[in-house]
Amino acid sequence: MKREQAKTVILVLLVCCSVFFTYNLWTFKPNYDFIQNSQYLENAPISQVKNEPANVIRPYQMFVHQNAEHYGTFKAENIDFLWNQLRNWNISEVKNVSSRYTSDQLDEWLNGKSESKKIEFVFSDKIPFEIFQSIFQYKSQKTIYSSFDRIVLPQAKANQPQKIIFVSVEQRLVYEASISNENARTIIASIIEKKENLDPYISIDFSEDKNLLLPEGKIELNQMKYIINSISGEDFKQALFTNPSYVRREMKPTQNVYTDGTSLLTVYPSQERLRFVNPTIDPSMFIERGKAMKQSIEFLNNHGGWTDDYQFFNMDSDSQLVSFRLMVDSVPVFENNTNTFGPTEISMRWGNNEIATYLRPLYDLDAEFVPNAVKMPNGKEVINLLEQRKTIEKENVKRVFPAYEMSATAEPRIVAVKPYWYVETESGQFVKLQAGNDTLGGNSDGLE
């Protein structure tokens, strides 16, 4: 009888234990806060630099037009003064005034052929108005879905408010607003009055419907050498992955591959570039231009991707690729196609709110050697060369501008940066102008 009672007690205990463990299994809640905090603490940004849109979205060129005379500059010290002033001025609600201009009238007004006095900012690509709205003191909640590549500040007449005009050359759109700040009219009039401090430009009718503004004389740019500092793939692993401790690395002869099972980071050390992709994200999904630009800036801020001076350069409408280009003295830098050291562009493609593709250099510019000044060919010389290029049709020329080209040298970890004239075509290609073996970038002055 005692043996049967013992069996019963043991059976009851086993049943109770089973019920207890089953209850705990059903009601168990893991401490996700600890995991999330650990993931956050493991991430380490590449740099501590963070940028607002106004720091990386800015005009690349400024003109002053007066009585069919033109003065221009690419220099940051001239452009940034007025650009920073403009950011602090209060702008009234914009209105569409495109009907005031025929297509020919708009071209004549923009090209400075009229008697009006004005300042013109030129951007390297179309900027959505919502970006300008976030940069300027613009309080209206009215939504404008258009994009603009010019801002014009006409000199105001006495006792009249200062106007600001947004122009889309491609879409033939003109929007106008007023600036309420009292000092705006004075500052703009002063810059126009001191126009001789800028380089004189000439207007050249390049084709039937194409007018180019180019320097009348030889402008000066520097050519330089830089010591390059490489950023390790491990640093980008720590910055880009949500939980770097879960990332596996595979070493290959020409590349290092990192993956957490979802995203893939491929580092190409000999090419000084990396590629970060999330194959689960559909990059073909349409995303608004302004949203893509804002997300790209925020993404670079979050992981410290501003390793050099990069500025928004363009966004391809078809591929939805947002590009930020390396700048030296506020002039864009392109890589040499035959003697390449590494890419000079950061580009991103989005799938709604998630990054789909991220391509960028694996280096930053460290120490600079003493620069040498180079006199660039004047506008007429550039046009003569452009007309000799049979591969570039006149109708396909969108703009001509100075830029730097970066190339490898015989010395390891040292690159040469030299100025040239570049052509952007309507089809989105960037072509360096050169004549045979003689480039239009001036003499090398011992940099070779």
Side-chain angles (χ1 to χ4, degrees), residues 106-162:
L106 180 59
D107 286 334
E108 288 185 2
W109 181 71
L110 280 177
N111 295 329
K113 294 182 179 180
S114 64
E115 297 298 314
S116 62
K117 301 177 182 180
K118 56 182 173 293
I119 297 172
E120 178 185 12
F121 280 138
V122 183
F123 296 84
S124 61
D125 199 5
K126 302 183 293 292
I127 310 297
F129 188 79
E130 66 177 285
I131 297 293
F132 288 130
Q133 188 169 352
S134 67
I135 292 175
F136 301 149
Q137 302 298 314
Y138 183 81
K139 305 303 182 184
S140 173
Q141 299 301 313
K142 182 179 179 180
T143 302
I144 297 174
Y145 296 103
S146 300
S147 297
F148 305 93
D149 54 8
R150 310 285 178 94
I151 289 179
V152 180
L153 299 163
Q155 183 170 342
K157 296 180 181 179
N159 301 321
Q160 290 188 357
Q162 176 61 54

Side-chain angles (χ1 to χ4, degrees), residues 22 24 28 114 142 155 163 204 266 280 322 329 342 375 397:
T22 301
N24 278 274
F28 174 70
S114 64
K142 182 179 179 180
Q155 183 170 342
K163 300 292 185 180
I204 300 175
T266 307
T280 65
V322 182
D329 295 337
K375 288 186 178 296
V397 173

Side-chain angles (χ1 to χ4, degrees), residues 188-217:
I188 289 172
S190 175
I191 292 174
I192 294 175
E193 181 69 24
K194 298 176 181 178
K195 59 187 180 299
E196 286 81 6
N197 294 334
L198 309 179
D199 297 311
Y201 273 62
I202 55 176
S203 177
I204 300 175
D205 293 323
F206 182 61
S207 65
E208 184 177 345
D209 59 350
K210 184 71 63 175
N211 181 275
L212 298 176
L213 285 175
L214 293 169
E216 183 177 14

Side-chain angles (χ1 to χ4, degrees), residues 59-319:
Y60 80 92
Q61 190 174 25
M62 184 179 79
F63 287 113
V64 173
H65 305 288
Q66 178 177 347
N67 300 329
E69 295 179 350
H70 319 282
Y71 301 84
T73 183
F74 293 93
K75 296 180 180 178
E77 59 265 28
N78 294 323
I79 295 175
D80 289 349
F81 169 75
L82 182 56
W83 181 242
N84 291 331
Q85 292 289 329
L86 182 55
R87 290 171 54 191
N88 296 318
W89 292 339
N90 296 308
I91 298 174
S92 67
E93 186 170 299
V94 298
K95 58 182 179 179
N96 190 340
V97 296
S98 305
S99 59
R100 294 180 186 173
Y101 305 88
T102 65
S103 183
D104 290 341
Q105 288 173 338
L106 180 59
D107 286 334
E108 288 185 2
W109 181 71
L110 280 177
N111 295 329
K113 294 182 179 180
S114 64
E115 297 298 314
S116 62
K117 301 177 182 180
K118 56 182 173 293
I119 297 172
E120 178 185 12
F121 280 138
V122 183
F123 296 84
S124 61
D125 199 5
K126 302 183 293 292
I127 310 297
F129 188 79
E130 66 177 285
I131 297 293
F132 288 130
Q133 188 169 352
S134 67
I135 292 175
F136 301 149
Q137 302 298 314
Y138 183 81
K139 305 303 182 184
S140 173
Q141 299 301 313
K142 182 179 179 180
T143 302
I144 297 174
Y145 296 103
S146 300
S147 297
F148 305 93
D149 54 8
R150 310 285 178 94
I151 289 179
V152 180
L153 299 163
Q155 183 170 342
K157 296 180 181 179
N159 301 321
Q160 290 188 357
Q162 176 61 54
K163 300 292 185 180
I164 179 172
I165 302 173
F166 301 87
V167 180
S168 169
V169 175
E170 180 182 347
Q171 296 180 311
R172 320 307 286 175
L173 289 177
V174 184
Y175 278 70
E176 182 184 87
S178 297
I179 298 174
S180 60
N181 299 64
E182 292 294 331
N183 65 339
R185 185 169 59 238
T186 302
I187 291 174
I188 289 172
S190 175
I191 292 174
I192 294 175
E193 181 69 24
K194 298 176 181 178
K195 59 187 180 299
E196 286 81 6
N197 294 334
L198 309 179
D199 297 311
Y201 273 62
I202 55 176
S203 177
I204 300 175
D205 293 323
F206 182 61
S207 65
E208 184 177 345
D209 59 350
K210 184 71 63 175
N211 181 275
L212 298 176
L213 285 175
L214 293 169
E216 183 177 14
K218 296 179 180 292
I219 63 173
E220 282 193 356
L221 290 176
N222 291 324
Q223 60 181 16
M224 299 150 281
K225 279 186 175 181
Y226 284 93
I227 297 175
I228 292 296
N229 174 54
S230 289
I231 307 170
S232 74
E234 287 292 322
D235 288 342
F236 278 102
K237 182 194 81 171
Q238 294 293 329
L240 294 173
F241 286 98
T242 304
N243 192 337
S245 62
Y246 291 165
V247 174
R248 304 187 308 274
R249 183 179 68 173
E250 181 182 355
M251 307 291 288
K252 296 184 178 181
T254 60
Q255 63 193 48
N256 300 328
V257 180
Y258 301 82
T259 181
D260 61 356
T262 301
S263 299
L264 188 70
L265 170 64
T266 307
V267 176
Y268 305 88
S270 63
Q271 301 176 28
E272 292 290 343
R273 67 184 180 92
L274 67 79
R275 184 172 186 265
F276 181 73
V277 298
N278 186 339
T280 65
I281 304 299
D282 181 10
S284 65
M285 183 183 299
F286 175 78
I287 182 171
E288 293 179 356
R289 191 181 188 88
K291 181 179 180 181
M293 291 169 64
K294 288 180 179 179
Q295 288 184 176
S296 297
I297 295 171
E298 184 178 356
F299 178 74
L300 289 167
N301 282 338
N302 288 341
H303 74 271
W306 305 107
T307 51
D308 272 313
D309 181 14
Y310 286 91
Q311 293 180 15
F312 171 75
F313 193 70
N314 66 332
M315 178 177 174
D316 186 275
S317 300
D318 296 328
S319 66

Side-chain angles (χ1 to χ4, degrees), residues 50 57 65 78 124 148 263 269 323 338 380 398 437 441 443:
K50 294 183 181 295
I57 300 174
H65 305 288
N78 294 323
S124 61
F148 305 93
S263 299
S323 297
T338 58
K380 289 184 178 179
K398 183 176 182 179
N437 293 327
N443 298 324

